[in-house]
């Protein structure tokens, strides 16, 4: 009987030890599992953070690149617009100049021929050649005396004619109107004739380099 009790006690001790050992093993397993889970979560968080940062960097880079591309396109568009405007302007200028020079094949001075007057002075405009103009000016100082100018030049397409061959004469008349005296004052005079629009009417300005005779004067079309 005593031996049985000892055997029972020994068996109980072995079982207790066994259970304790199992408990320790289970605790160890739980700790390992928890550590592994924490490590995995940490790794996933780092990976996710890196991926997110990388994605954001790519998105930001794409956005910046798109902004820069849009800016370059706008600048290129503006530059093209300016170039087109300048080209159109130049073409229009050339076309206008060409029209004035040639028109329908006639001398463009045909648009300005006639007589222009201002007080005692008058300018008669005629045309010569393909685009040349001739000018005859008379300016009376009295009934018996007047000055005459003759000059000619090429119409340059901008409503003006430069001349370098101006001749001035002073004429004195007899009572019957015949010439009593004629003096050549100068030759090879220079200047220009400028046609302008004034209140819808064509007028003529004479820029005289020799004596500034036409300074601040406008000659109106008479006929």
């Amino acid at each position: 009987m005593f031996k049985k009790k000892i055997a029972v006690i020994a068996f109980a001790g072995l079982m207790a030890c066994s259970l304790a050992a199992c408990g320790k093993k289970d605790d160890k397993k739980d700790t390992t599992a928890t550590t592994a889970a924490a490590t995995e979560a940490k790794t996933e968080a780092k990976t996710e953070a890196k991926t997110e940062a990388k994605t954001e960097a790519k998105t930001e880079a794409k956005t910046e690149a798109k902004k820069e591309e849009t800016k370059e396109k706008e600048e290129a568009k503006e530059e093209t617009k300016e170039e087109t405007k300048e080209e159109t302007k130049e073409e229009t200028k050339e076309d206008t100049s060409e029209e004035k020079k040639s028109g329908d094949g006639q001398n463009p001075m045909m648009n300005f021929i006639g007589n222009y007057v201002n007080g005692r002075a008058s300018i008669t405009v005629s045309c010569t050649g393909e685009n040349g103009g001739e000018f005859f000016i008379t300016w009376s100082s009295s009934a018996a005396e007047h000055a005459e100018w003759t000059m000619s030049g090429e119409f340059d397409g901008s409503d003006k004619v430069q001349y370098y061959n101006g001749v001035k004469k002073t004429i004195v008349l007899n009572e019957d109107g015949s010439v009593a005296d004629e003096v050549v004052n100068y030759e090879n005079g220079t200047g220009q004739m400028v046609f302008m629009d004034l209140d819808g009417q064509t007028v003529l300005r004479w820029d005289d380099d020799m004596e500034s005779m036409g300074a601040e004067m406008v000659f109106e079309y008479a006929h």
Side-chain angles (χ1 to χ4, degrees), residues 162-213:
Q162 294 278 145
Y163 65 85
Y164 305 93
N165 56 1
V167 176
K168 179 186 177 182
K169 295 179 182 179
T170 299
I171 311 292
V172 178
L173 303 176
N174 294 312
E175 289 185 3
D176 61 0
S178 60
V179 176
D181 190 24
E182 181 176 314
V183 178
V184 176
N185 302 106
Y186 63 76
E187 296 179 337
N188 301 318
T190 61
Q192 65 178 2
M193 297 292 183
V194 183
F195 295 94
M196 305 180 296
D197 183 275
L198 182 63
D199 298 328
Q201 298 295 322
T202 301
V203 296
L204 177 59
R205 189 184 78 226
W206 177 25
D207 296 335
D208 174 31
D209 295 341
M210 308 303 291
E211 302 170 308
S212 299
M213 290 298 295

Side-chain angles (χ1 to χ4, degrees), residues 10-25:
F11 180 73
L14 286 172
M15 287 298 291
C17 288
S18 238
L19 287 171
C22 286
K24 286 181 180 179
K25 285 181 181 179

Side-chain angles (χ1 to χ4, degrees), residues 131-145:
N131 62 339
E134 292 181 334
F135 304 87
F136 176 66
I137 303 169
T138 62
W139 199 318
S140 300
S141 55
S142 68
E145 185 176 335

Side-chain angles (χ1 to χ4, degrees), residues 42 50 63 65 72 104 109 126 155 158 191 195 213 218:
K42 193 173 181 181
K50 284 182 180 179
T63 303
E72 289 177 358
D104 55 2
M109 286 297 298
S126 58
F155 189 74
S158 63
F195 295 94
M213 290 298 295
V218 172

Side-chain angles (χ1 to χ4, degrees), residues 46-65:
K46 282 184 179 179
T47 303
E48 187 176 348
K50 284 182 180 179
T51 303
E52 188 176 350
K54 196 172 182 181
T55 302
E56 286 179 358
K58 283 184 178 179
T59 303
E60 188 176 347
K62 284 182 180 178
T63 303
E64 288 298 322

Side-chain angles (χ1 to χ4, degrees), residues 4-184:
K4 266 187 181 182
K5 284 182 178 180
I6 292 173
V8 170
I9 291 168
F11 180 73
L14 286 172
M15 287 298 291
C17 288
S18 238
L19 287 171
C22 286
K24 286 181 180 179
K25 285 181 181 179
D26 289 340
D27 289 343
K28 191 173 182 181
K29 283 181 180 179
D30 290 344
T31 302
T32 303
T34 302
T35 303
T39 303
E40 186 177 352
K42 193 173 181 181
T43 303
E44 286 179 358
K46 282 184 179 179
T47 303
E48 187 176 348
K50 284 182 180 179
T51 303
E52 188 176 350
K54 196 172 182 181
T55 302
E56 286 179 358
K58 283 184 178 179
T59 303
E60 188 176 347
K62 284 182 180 178
T63 303
E64 288 298 322
K66 194 170 183 180
K67 282 182 182 178
E68 190 64 28
E69 185 180 354
T70 303
K71 185 179 178 182
E72 289 177 358
K73 283 182 179 179
E74 287 298 324
E75 289 176 352
K77 189 187 289 184
E78 286 299 320
E79 188 176 344
T80 303
K81 190 185 293 183
E82 287 299 320
E83 288 177 356
T84 304
K85 190 186 292 183
E86 286 300 320
E87 287 175 2
T88 304
K89 194 174 180 181
E90 286 299 320
E91 287 175 3
T92 303
K93 190 186 292 183
E94 288 176 5
D95 291 343
T96 304
S97 177
E98 195 61 34
E99 284 175 6
K100 286 181 177 179
K101 284 182 179 179
S102 58
D104 55 2
Q106 72 175 17
N107 187 327
M109 286 297 298
M110 287 292 292
N111 297 318
F112 305 107
I113 60 174
N115 195 42
Y116 297 79
V117 298
N118 186 319
R120 293 183 176 183
S122 69
I123 303 176
T124 301
V125 180
S126 58
C127 58
T128 179
E130 293 183 0
N131 62 339
E134 292 181 334
F135 304 87
F136 176 66
I137 303 169
T138 62
W139 199 318
S140 300
S141 55
S142 68
E145 185 176 335
H146 68 272
E148 293 181 356
W149 290 262
T150 56
M151 65 277 287
S152 62
E154 296 293 309
F155 189 74
D156 69 355
S158 63
D159 294 342
K160 64 183 178 181
V161 176
Q162 294 278 145
Y163 65 85
Y164 305 93
N165 56 1
V167 176
K168 179 186 177 182
K169 295 179 182 179
T170 299
I171 311 292
V172 178
L173 303 176
N174 294 312
E175 289 185 3
D176 61 0
S178 60
V179 176
D181 190 24
E182 181 176 314
V183 178
V184 176

